[in-house]
């Protein structure tokens, strides 16, 4: 180990790459249902498993809970919120300018509620629902801490 850091394992990167490919396939694949079901049985759990496998309990406990949460929020919650808000702004502009639809307060409220509570559906987070993973991983990491 170098300077107190956890040793890097290349096979974890390979597993992440396989997971990413499976996520892409899962969202774009239109073939036999059995293969689709196989991809969906593990393509997201693999990221949670790898996150748990690479979790460094000693290092995180040394940080203290509040610093740990701040670090995880910076790495997971800020990207979640930024991408969700940018997506919402794009959706508003798209509806108003391209589709000539009126964007009411209820639409904005519904989307903000979807972002806040991570409603992973096209109704609450159009074109952005896949980012649910970031919020869910943040919560999982907080649970790992305990």
């Amino acid at each position: 180990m170098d300077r107190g850091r956890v040793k890097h394992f290349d096979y974890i990167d390979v597993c992440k790459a396989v997971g990413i490919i499976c996520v892409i396939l899962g969202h774009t694949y239109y073939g036999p249902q059995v293969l689709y079901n196989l991809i969906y049985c593990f393509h997201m759990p693999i990221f949670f498993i790898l996150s748990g496998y690479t979790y460094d309990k000693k290092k995180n406990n040394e940080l203290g809970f509040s610093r740990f949460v701040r670090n995880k929020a910076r790495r997971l919650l800020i990207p979640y919120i930024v991408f969700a808000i940018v997506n919402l702004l794009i959706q508003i502009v798209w509806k108003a300018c391209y589709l000539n639809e009126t964007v009411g307060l209820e639409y904005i409220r519904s989307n903000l509620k979807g972002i806040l509570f991570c409603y992973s559906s096209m109704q609450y987070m159009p074109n952005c629902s896949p980012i649910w993973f970031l919020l869910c991983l943040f919560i999982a990491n907080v649970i790992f801490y305990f």
Side-chain angles (χ1 to χ4, degrees), residues 5 18 20 29 40 79 82 91 94 96 109 119 127-128:
R5 298 193 73 191
V18 168
I20 290 167
Y29 179 75
Y40 261 80
V82 168
Q91 290 302 314
W94 178 263
R109 187 180 299 132
Y119 292 151
N127 302 321
C128 201

Side-chain angles (χ1 to χ4, degrees), residues 83-123:
F83 281 112
I85 297 298
V86 167
N87 178 68
L88 176 57
L89 294 174
I90 290 169
Q91 290 302 314
I92 291 169
V93 170
W94 178 263
K95 283 180 161 295
C97 296
Y98 184 73
L99 300 177
N100 294 322
E101 293 180 10
T102 303
V103 179
L105 189 58
E106 185 53 40
Y107 177 81
I108 295 169
R109 187 180 299 132
S110 172
N111 277 265
L112 289 174
K113 182 179 176 183
I115 292 167
L116 181 63
F117 294 108
C118 195
Y119 292 151
S120 178
S121 74
M122 289 297 286
Q123 178 184 355

Side-chain angles (χ1 to χ4, degrees), residues 23-34:
V23 167
I24 293 167
L25 283 174
H27 288 283
T28 60
Y29 179 75
Y30 296 102
Q33 187 68 33
V34 68

